[in-house]
Amino acid sequence: MATFGSLALLIGLALAAYNLFAGGVALRLIATGQPAPISPERLADTARRAGIAVFIAVTAAAFALVYSALTNDFSITYIMEHSNRALDVKYKFAALWSGQEGSLLLWCWLLATYGFVLRLRHKTDVKLYAYAGTIMAAIQVFFLAVINFAAPPFSLIRGDIPADGNGLNPLLQYPEMVIHPPMLYLGYVGFSVPFAFGLGALMMRYPGEKWIKITRVWTLVTWLFLTFGIFLGMHWAYAVLGWGGYWGWDPVENASFMPWLTGTAFMHSVMMQEKRGMMKSWNVWLIFSTFLLTLLGTTLTRGGLVSSVHAFAQSSIATWFYVAMGVTLAVCIFTYILQRDHLKSDHHLESLVSRESSFLFNNLVLLTACFVILWGTLFPILSEYVQGSKVTVGAPFYNRVAVPIGIFLLFLTGVGPLLPWRATSLKAVKRNFIVPSIALWVTVVVCFIFGPRPLSTWFSEAGYFYALVAFAMSASVFTAIASEFLRGAGVIAKQTGKNLAAAMYLLTRRNTRRYGGYLIHIGVVIIVVGLAGAAFNKNTEKELALHDTMSVGPYTLECVGFTQDSNANFNSDYALLDVYQNGKKQFQMAPEKRVYLASQQPQTMVAVHSVLSWDLYVVFEGTNPDTGQPIIKAFLNPLVSWIWAGVVLIVAGTFIALVPSLTPATAALRVSVPQTVHAEPVLKGGD
């Protein structure tokens, strides 16, 4: 299989190189009109077919690596280092992305898959798709060159073949790790498609905004994959690392978050171009930046430049990525300078109190957040280069900056849908904002009544103050979005006699992009509420003998036993804890400590009991070597389940936004909705 896989990768590289060369020559001949022995159209078609064949070759290589893991072929170095005989089948499959070489092969395969779909749809716009396909081929050549020459996944063991492998990293032996990396990579790699279309459209001076409309679905799906991948990673960190949190501003976490920020800004900005012909330069540079940040994130993770539980070991492939980023940036700058007169705006900002201004501020804030995170991520590397010593930037730095930025973004999320295009009157502002303002102040009063005492506590501690602002702002934004739903549904209900739920369904189907976006906004609001709950976290740690107890929040935990278990892959120690509330036993929890036999590495398996108000999060930290008794750490984490509920709403809203709206010809009901309802969401949507 090693020979087969290596040969497939070499064939894939040759096909991608031909796709790039033939595609570039064909586009040049078409642009200049020069005569050639073969027609440019025929040459372009052969290039497209070569791009399709790349998908077949890379798929064969990926299959070879997975098959080698499933059959325990320890003659391959990668399989020996990341698998073992007792490993569960699903984790053997996940070995494809558990190490550097395999994860780069997954990247290549996903890129080839995106390119395959793109080339099958080339008749949508033959010339634009030819440009995009050629740019995708250039990206494919780079990654295939890396895994052929710098990080080959099919390298063979020198000397005797071991009887068993080293096993998969214990941190990765968790069900979510079977889907989290592919989702994240689908987002990372997927942004190469709108990048290719954006750069290609600029190169060919593509007229109008059609390239944005063509790539809207690509961008939205890619953004969804990246969003889902990030939150899966958060849940994995929460459930596996045993520290009681879900986001630690780890450099590799930041690496995935930065392209999400610029990608989100891009989706805001393209609505401005579609609706008003504005921010064209912003759009091309936002998608250029997003793609460059995916390359940077890959470099940080795989080049060993940062210390992280997510990062791979120090590697020489960082140089390859530096060159790739430099070449990409140079091409983007050169193309922009050459074609910048093609990006003149059709209109200009007319008022600071308008839909356009909210989009502009939204972009500025998102880019500010991205720059701050980029600076904090790269600062240790820069400080080591300049001073010779690495200065680490921790979570307090990010929180001081990111929390106020996040709250301002939440404010814009609510304000944007309430503002009309071009300009608005003071009367309209008062009418649209009075109910959300009431909701804000009612929430403040409720927090004062039921929150921590004395009231000065809310203002004496930064965490409590930001939580108060987040709760109040979330209530206001939710009210603003809900009022837009209810206003439109009320009109339809009045004109048709249908109940409010049926009217809301019809309203959503008539403009899925807008109202799917509203649902995404609500998901964001729910997530912010969940994040704000972290200000009220509690934890306690205690060594528990049999029948000893400890308390955290409303719960009392009693140790009722210890037990052990073992299988071919790991040995386990459990602490059995009965959990009481108000003197009554509610349930039992069994936090676990594992030691994996192949690697002799320990792993914590957290026990979590979730309700709407909070999570009871219990960690078995090990045993006291002197007494042999377990050490238990218990956390009470308020509102964590709201985060995961918000993600579900974001996914649902994105799917709704992807569904085509009912046209007047196909709608079962044709209703004329007043202008007061015409508002697109800030995060997604727009007419």
Side-chain angles (χ1 to χ4, degrees):
M1 271 297 170
T3 302
F4 174 78
S6 298
L7 182 61
L9 288 178
L10 282 172
I11 292 173
L13 176 59
L15 289 167
Y18 176 80
N19 184 187
L20 173 61
F21 174 76
V25 170
L27 291 174
R28 179 63 179 170
L29 292 175
I30 292 172
T32 60
Q34 295 176 353
I38 183 174
S39 70
E41 292 77 13
R42 179 70 180 276
L43 188 61
D45 191 56
T46 63
R48 184 182 67 84
R49 293 176 186 275
I52 292 174
V54 170
F55 167 73
I56 299 173
V58 179
T59 299
F63 169 80
L65 194 63
V66 171
Y67 182 82
S68 299
L70 294 175
T71 57
N72 301 312
D73 185 356
F74 300 120
S75 66
I76 298 175
T77 304
Y78 182 84
I79 303 302
M80 187 273 294
E81 292 177 346
H82 300 285
S83 184
N84 63 293
R85 295 185 182 277
L87 191 64
D88 191 272
V89 170
K90 62 178 176 290
Y91 298 127
K92 288 185 178 181
F93 184 80
L96 174 60
W97 49 82
S98 62
Q100 178 171 268
E101 296 86 353
S103 67
L104 288 171
L105 177 55
L106 175 64
W107 185 294
C108 285
W109 181 75
L110 292 175
L111 186 62
T113 304
Y114 277 118
F116 175 73
V117 177
L118 181 148
R119 292 175 178 100
L120 289 182
R121 296 177 54 85
H122 73 289
K123 291 184 179 179
T124 304
D125 188 309
V126 174
K127 188 175 180 181
L128 178 60
Y129 272 70
Y131 269 92
T134 303
I135 294 168
M136 291 280 287
I139 301 169
Q140 189 80 69
V141 166
F142 165 70
F143 277 98
L144 283 170
V146 170
I147 62 173
N148 270 287
F149 305 119
F154 294 100
S155 296
L156 297 176
I157 293 284
R158 294 185 178 181
D160 295 334
I161 299 174
D164 203 358
N166 295 338
L168 188 65
N169 186 332
L171 291 174
L172 304 180
Q173 295 190 44
Y174 188 75
E176 281 179 13
M177 293 309 292
V178 179
I179 56 174
H180 160 57
M183 286 292 171
L184 206 59
Y185 291 156
L186 279 165
Y188 257 46
V189 181
F191 273 118
S192 62
V193 178
F195 165 77
F197 275 106
L199 182 57
L202 188 58
M203 286 178 172
M204 63 183 288
R205 301 178 68 89
Y206 196 75
E209 282 69 52
K210 188 178 177 182
W211 76 270
I212 288 176
K213 295 178 181 178
I214 289 174
T215 59
R216 189 181 78 84
V217 172
W218 289 97
T219 306
L220 194 55
V221 169
T222 294
W223 180 88
L224 175 62
F225 281 135
L226 185 57
T227 302
F228 195 49
I230 289 172
F231 280 99
L232 278 175
M234 289 173 63
H235 192 269
W236 166 80
Y238 185 65
V240 170
L241 297 184
W243 60 296
Y246 39 76
W247 188 265
W249 296 107
D250 180 275
V252 177
E253 292 174 340
N254 296 346
S256 64
F257 192 38
M258 289 186 289
W260 185 90
L261 289 169
T262 54
T264 303
F266 173 70
M267 290 189 298
H268 286 87
S269 197
V270 293
M271 287 190 285
M272 290 276 284
Q273 185 169 341
E274 286 184 279
K275 189 77 175 180
R276 300 274 290 151
M278 300 171 64
M279 303 184 75
K280 295 180 181 180
S281 291
W282 275 84
N283 289 337
V284 296
W285 276 108
L286 282 172
I287 197 58
F288 291 170
S289 300
T290 301
F291 178 70
L292 285 166
L293 285 170
T294 63
L295 292 180
L296 176 63
T298 308
T299 308
L300 292 174
T301 308
R302 288 155 188 81
L305 300 179
V306 294
S307 299
S308 166
V309 296
H310 310 270
F312 299 109
Q314 186 72 32
S315 171
S316 61
I317 69 167
T319 304
W320 288 71
F321 281 90
Y322 293 150
V323 173
M325 286 188 289
V327 171
T328 302
L329 181 60
V331 170
C332 291
I333 292 173
F334 175 78
T335 305
Y336 175 76
I337 293 173
L338 194 65
Q339 311 286 18
R340 64 184 182 278
D341 61 313
H342 179 63
L343 299 174
K344 292 181 180 178
S345 295
D346 299 335
H347 300 90
H348 299 284
L349 187 65
E350 299 179 24
S351 172
L352 287 177
V353 186
S354 64
R355 184 74 55 81
E356 293 92 328
S357 66
S358 73
F359 279 77
L360 178 61
F361 286 129
N362 186 80
N363 273 359
L364 291 173
V365 174
L366 285 168
L367 290 178
T368 299
C370 183
F371 176 78
V372 169
I373 295 170
L374 178 64
W375 173 254
T377 303
L378 295 181
F379 187 78
I381 302 171
L382 297 174
S383 65
E384 185 176 31
Y385 179 78
V386 175
Q387 301 177 356
S389 60
K390 184 175 290 188
V391 180
T392 303
V393 176
F397 164 78
Y398 294 106
N399 289 333
R400 279 196 300 269
V401 180
V403 172
I405 288 176
I407 290 174
F408 186 55
L409 280 172
L410 182 65
F411 169 75
L412 292 175
T413 300
V415 167
L418 301 180
L419 296 175
W421 294 101
R422 302 184 66 176
T424 187
S425 64
L426 182 60
K427 183 179 180 180
V429 171
K430 290 180 178 178
R431 182 180 66 249
N432 292 337
F433 284 89
I434 186 168
V435 175
S437 298
I438 292 172
L440 184 149
W441 289 109
V442 167
T443 304
V444 170
V445 172
V446 170
C447 288
F448 284 166
I449 294 173
F450 297 101
R453 298 300 181 93
L455 294 183
S456 59
T457 304
W458 287 103
F459 304 98
S460 61
E461 297 186 26
Y464 284 174
F465 174 74
Y466 283 130
L468 175 65
V469 175
F471 290 148
M473 194 67 68
S474 295
S476 178
V477 173
F478 178 84
T479 304
I481 297 169
S483 67
E484 287 296 297
F485 263 111
L486 294 173
R487 190 180 305 165
V491 172
I492 292 179
K494 183 178 179 181
Q495 295 186 7
T496 65
K498 293 183 178 292
N499 62 49
L500 192 61
M504 198 169 293
Y505 170 78
L506 288 173
L507 179 71
T508 302
R509 285 304 314 275
R510 289 179 60 83
N511 196 332
T512 54
R513 187 177 179 187
R514 178 192 305 169
Y515 293 102
Y518 282 172
L519 187 59
I520 294 171
H521 279 187
I522 293 174
V524 171
V525 169
I526 299 300
I527 289 171
V528 169
V529 171
L531 295 174
F536 308 95
N537 286 359
K538 299 177 181 178
N539 69 81
T540 184
E541 183 177 333
K542 189 176 180 180
E543 180 181 326
L544 295 182
L546 194 63
H547 299 301
D548 280 355
T549 62
M550 62 188 297
S551 296
V552 57
Y555 296 113
T556 299
L557 284 67
E558 179 187 2
C559 182
V560 295
F562 319 117
T563 186
Q564 294 181 326
D565 194 10
S566 63
N567 57 39
N569 194 27
F570 56 82
N571 295 327
S572 297
D573 289 318
Y574 296 86
L576 299 179
L577 306 168
D578 284 345
V579 181
Y580 294 82
Q581 188 175 8
N582 299 323
K584 296 182 180 180
K585 181 181 174 180
Q586 301 295 320
F587 48 88
Q588 188 176 80
M589 304 182 75
E592 177 186 359
K593 196 78 172 181
R594 294 178 179 176
V595 176
Y596 286 85
L597 302 179
S599 62
Q600 288 300 303
Q601 294 184 43
Q603 175 60 40
T604 298
M605 302 301 292
V606 178
V608 181
H609 177 76
S610 293
V611 295
L612 188 63
S613 302
W614 50 61
D615 281 9
L616 176 60
Y617 180 103
V618 183
V619 182
F620 180 11
E621 296 203 310
T623 56
N624 186 324
D626 297 326
T627 64
Q629 295 173 350
I631 301 172
I632 303 297
K633 188 167 187 177
F635 298 79
L636 191 72
N637 298 332
L639 303 177
V640 173
S641 60
W642 288 55
I643 298 175
W644 321 131
V647 176
V648 172
L649 289 177
I650 288 178
V651 172
T654 307
F655 276 115
I656 290 173
L658 287 168
V659 174
S661 299
L662 291 177
T663 63
T666 58
L669 178 66
R670 303 175 74 173
V671 179
S672 177
V673 182
Q675 287 296 318
T676 54
V677 189
H678 284 200
E680 291 79 9
V682 175
L683 187 61
K684 295 281 176 305
D687 288 329

